[in-house]
Amino acid sequence: MAQYTSINDEKELALQKEYMKKAASYVADLETQIGHQPLCCVTTFGCQMNARDSEKLLGILTQIGYAPTDCEEEADFVIYNTCTVRDNANQRVYGRLGFLNSLKRKKPHLRIALCGCMMQENSVVDKIKKSYRFVDLIFGTHNIFKFAQLLVTMFENREMVIDIWQETDQIVEDLPVNRKYPYKSGINIMFGCNNFCSYCIVPYVRGRERSREPKDILMEIERLVRDGVVEVMLLGQNVNSYGKNLEHPVTFAQLLREVEQIEGLKRIRFMTSHPKDLSDELIEVMKQSDKICRHLHLPVQAGSNRILKAMNRRYTKEQYLALVHKIKSAMPDIAITTDIIVGFPGETLEDVEETIDVVRKVQYDNAFTFIYSKRTGTPAASMDNQVPEEMVKEGFDKVLKVVQDTARERAALLQGQIMEALVEEVNEQDESLMTGRLSNNMLVHFPAPRTSIGQMVQVSLDTCHGFYYTGHVVG
Ligand code: SAH
Ligand code: SF4
Ligand code: F3S
């Protein structure tokens, strides 16, 4: 297992800072050419890791002189940070690239970059080289710390610039980051995945598991808290195996204990927890903590032992249910959410009934249900018992119905309670309301001043609307 060295880091950081200066001079030239500050638009597909990567890209872009915009049409630089976990994510990117091409025809100085998980697949890069020649820059997941350098190369070349790495053992600390929310932030605690669930492409596009040093994580969080952050989400594909490969191994529970000590930090979340690695120590730390939120995302994927084995999940239905029982006994008010896949090769409708049984027994507060998507290069893609579409659809609809029914039942249980919410934003539908998030991740909408964004308030949960509440601030 590769270890990263901080000496390497510092050299790389200094180098990238030089490239940022150089890139800034190109952006200044562009500003003179177009007569206004150049705008950049970073569009994120996929998971929280990608969202965090986008904040890093935006950090560098703003540092070198771009102003951020959410509108692709008005941007002078558009970057798609892509996801390839299911095929529909890929199709959305191809669909939107056509639109970018038409924008570039109208605005020839428009630069287009593609990065993220999809770009780690050779077939994707080949397709872009062949059919989407107007793209200026392509890079992957392992070298985003080199973004400034890649931008300089892009500004100095007319040809498409492509830089994809198969792996990296480098973790570069302290690059600029531009956060989306002032009061909450994701923090990478580890990168990559070693689990190789047989349906999943993530280990191939994100590489082997690498943990950051606890001191780097803690320093980053302390800095964020000084900057106004009250809630952090610790990110990793399997946070429960955090720290195992560090030079001085640390458990995830130990890391949480240290994060908890940070003064001024009010809430701690994390994702994702693989059931096979969830320790008693973690349950104990969560139970004793005032800051760790009462929410656990615990993907089950399937309920049939035969399918779980073929998925290489390394737990049985019974082990999973016993784990949930242990967690709920320790923390009766905890919300448990999950991910479910329907239509894995060889899955019958009887197998799907096993999944439904798990949903009924666990009583999930929410569950993301996905139709199995065949990912080239994964073991499941070459299994010869792929399930016909109609059968998948039938199973999917059945699971979805039970998931929604149980989630509604769970939500209704909170009626009339007074709970603490972090005020997050103005309600999208009704500007007179604010949207807050409870510790258990549920949303509640209530009248409050805009100035309360980022603050913790006590809210009475007055009316349940299926999966969320409306209420009013008390006290
Ligand atoms: N590391 C996390 C999951 C990351 S991917 C974990 O192990 O739980 C997020 C979710 O996408 C997975 O939990 C899974 O439910 C789903 N997923 C992954 N690959 C998929 C595929 N090939 N088809 C359908 N869903 C998939
Ligand atoms: Fe994919 Fe499994 Fe790794 Fe999650 S744990 S990212 S599902 S291989
Ligand atoms: Fe997608 Fe990559 Fe995340 S494939 S789900 S963006 S790790």
Side-chain angles (χ1 to χ4, degrees):
M1 171 59 51
Q3 297 291 336
Y4 90 93
T5 61
S6 50
I7 299 160
N8 190 358
D9 266 357
E10 279 162 27
K11 267 196 203 154
E12 188 60 50
L13 182 64
L15 184 68
Q16 291 310 317
K17 285 191 172 160
E18 281 307 306
Y19 278 113
M20 277 182 232
K21 279 189 209 147
K22 202 159 181 191
S25 70
Y26 286 116
V27 179
D29 290 347
L30 178 63
E31 181 163 350
T32 317
Q33 184 197 325
I34 60 178
H36 63 85
Q37 186 182 14
L39 299 174
C40 67
C41 178
V42 182
T43 304
T44 312
F45 299 82
C47 66
Q48 310 252 11
M49 323 266 165
N50 255 21
R52 184 66 179 155
D53 284 349
S54 290
E55 292 185 342
K56 295 176 185 172
L57 298 171
L58 210 51
I60 291 174
L61 288 167
T62 47
Q63 181 98 6
I64 65 173
Y66 281 99
T69 170
D70 288 334
C71 172
E72 282 174 14
E73 263 143 318
E74 64 174 21
D76 305 288
F77 186 81
V78 174
I79 173 157
Y80 282 178
N81 189 6
T82 63
C83 169
T84 185
V85 77
R86 287 171 290 276
D87 190 52
N88 52 9
N90 299 46
Q91 294 315 321
R92 275 171 57 212
V93 168
Y94 289 127
R96 289 173 71 152
L97 274 175
F99 165 70
L100 286 190
N101 191 17
S102 65
L103 277 187
K104 192 162 181 169
R105 284 216 196 92
K106 281 184 259 167
K107 191 171 17 177
H109 75 263
L110 173 66
R111 301 280 186 163
I112 298 166
L114 300 175
C115 66
C117 296
M118 223 175 126
M119 301 306 129
Q120 291 295 137
E121 291 182 275
N122 294 339
S123 59
V124 170
V125 176
D126 288 345
K127 183 167 170 169
I128 291 163
K129 279 201 283 196
K130 207 164 134 239
S131 312
Y132 300 88
R133 302 268 344 138
F134 55 90
V135 172
D136 299 284
L137 169 63
I138 302 178
F139 59 102
T141 56
H142 299 301
N143 53 345
I144 70 163
F145 66 85
K146 275 194 145 59
F147 185 43
Q149 184 174 356
L150 292 166
L151 286 170
V152 169
T153 317
M154 178 188 83
F155 284 126
E156 292 175 352
N157 281 277
R158 292 192 151 269
E159 295 287 296
M160 188 190 284
V161 176
I162 304 177
D163 192 17
I164 312 283
W165 298 5
Q166 286 321 308
E167 260 296 340
T168 187
D169 58 0
Q170 262 172 308
I171 299 177
V172 181
E173 302 286 349
D174 296 335
L175 282 164
V177 181
N178 195 323
R179 278 184 288 114
K180 190 168 173 192
Y181 303 97
Y183 53 86
K184 67 172 182 180
S185 178
I187 316 277
N188 299 106
I189 62 165
M190 59 208 295
F191 302 93
C193 182
N194 283 354
N195 288 308
F196 290 95
C197 302
S198 65
Y199 50 82
C200 184
I201 200 162
V202 171
Y204 305 87
V205 296
R206 286 274 172 175
R208 292 297 61 71
E209 194 176 286
R210 305 170 303 282
S211 294
R212 286 175 71 197
E213 287 290 345
K215 72 167 177 18
D216 292 331
I217 297 169
L218 295 168
M219 257 165 51
E220 183 176 350
I221 301 176
E222 280 162 7
R223 207 161 39 207
L224 287 166
V225 170
R226 279 200 297 274
D227 204 26
V229 164
V230 291
E231 177 178 308
V232 290
M233 164 86 88
L234 309 180
L235 299 171
Q237 292 299 347
N238 177 11
V239 292
N240 295 330
S241 69
Y242 168 79
K244 288 190 178 148
N245 296 313
L246 287 170
E247 203 180 331
H248 304 288
V250 182
T251 64
F252 178 54
Q254 283 168 326
L255 177 73
L256 279 175
R257 276 206 181 95
E258 300 217 18
V259 175
E260 167 119 48
Q261 304 298 318
I262 296 176
E263 232 171 280
L265 181 66
K266 299 205 172 120
R267 277 184 169 179
I268 306 167
R269 299 182 184 277
F270 54 84
M271 75 186 316
T272 300
S273 262
H274 195 305
K276 79 176 164 62
D277 298 312
L278 198 146
S279 67
D280 290 351
E281 190 194 5
L282 175 66
I283 299 175
E284 201 46 43
V285 170
M286 285 183 83
K287 185 181 165 179
Q288 286 168 4
S289 169
D290 299 328
K291 294 186 181 177
I292 303 173
C293 288
R294 285 291 189 256
H295 172 218
L296 189 66
H297 187 61
L298 195 64
V300 66
Q301 313 298 0
S304 144
N305 285 335
R306 194 173 57 84
I307 297 300
L308 284 170
K309 192 159 199 312
M311 285 179 161
N312 193 30
R313 288 293 287 182
R314 286 174 278 176
Y315 52 82
T316 61
K317 176 184 173 187
E318 293 72 26
Q319 285 167 333
Y320 183 91
L321 290 173
L323 179 64
V324 169
H325 181 71
K326 195 155 61 174
I327 296 164
K328 286 202 178 194
S329 310
M331 294 166 280
D333 57 344
I334 198 164
I336 298 187
T337 57
T338 203
D339 292 343
I340 292 169
I341 299 177
V342 181
F344 182 86
E347 192 175 53
T348 62
L349 286 173
E350 281 98 82
D351 292 320
V352 175
E353 286 302 326
E354 295 280 325
T355 304
I356 291 174
D357 187 44
V358 174
V359 176
R360 288 217 170 93
K361 288 196 166 116
V362 175
Q363 295 276 302
Y364 290 111
D365 292 77
N366 192 9
F368 299 98
T369 312
F370 305 111
I371 287 182
Y372 167 74
S373 172
K374 193 170 168 177
R375 308 317 289 136
T376 311
T378 61
S382 50
M383 292 179 184
D384 53 15
N385 44 1
Q386 304 288 322
V387 185
E389 214 172 289
E390 319 78 74
M391 209 173 111
V392 179
K393 188 82 186 64
E394 189 183 333
F396 179 84
D397 290 345
K398 277 188 171 172
V399 174
L400 196 65
K401 172 144 194 338
V402 184
V403 158
Q404 289 181 342
D405 289 349
T406 43
R408 260 192 219 101
E409 281 168 33
R410 287 281 303 166
L413 294 176
L414 300 177
Q415 180 80 44
Q417 291 198 31
I418 293 172
M419 294 178 96
E420 192 173 50
L422 171 62
V423 186
E424 296 207 333
E425 55 201 1
V426 177
N427 182 299
E428 278 175 19
Q429 270 88 46
D430 180 349
E431 290 228 328
S432 71
L433 298 179
M434 303 298 287
T435 296
R437 193 178 296 270
L438 305 178
S439 169
N440 67 11
N441 213 34
M442 185 175 285
L443 295 181
V444 53
H445 310 284
F446 48 86
R450 284 177 186 227
T451 47
S452 62
I453 290 182
Q455 290 175 10
M456 307 290 259
V457 292
Q458 295 290 328
V459 182
S460 160
L461 306 178
D462 299 334
T463 316
C464 184
H465 302 266
F467 307 111
Y468 65 91
Y469 272 87
T470 45
H472 70 280
V473 176
V474 290

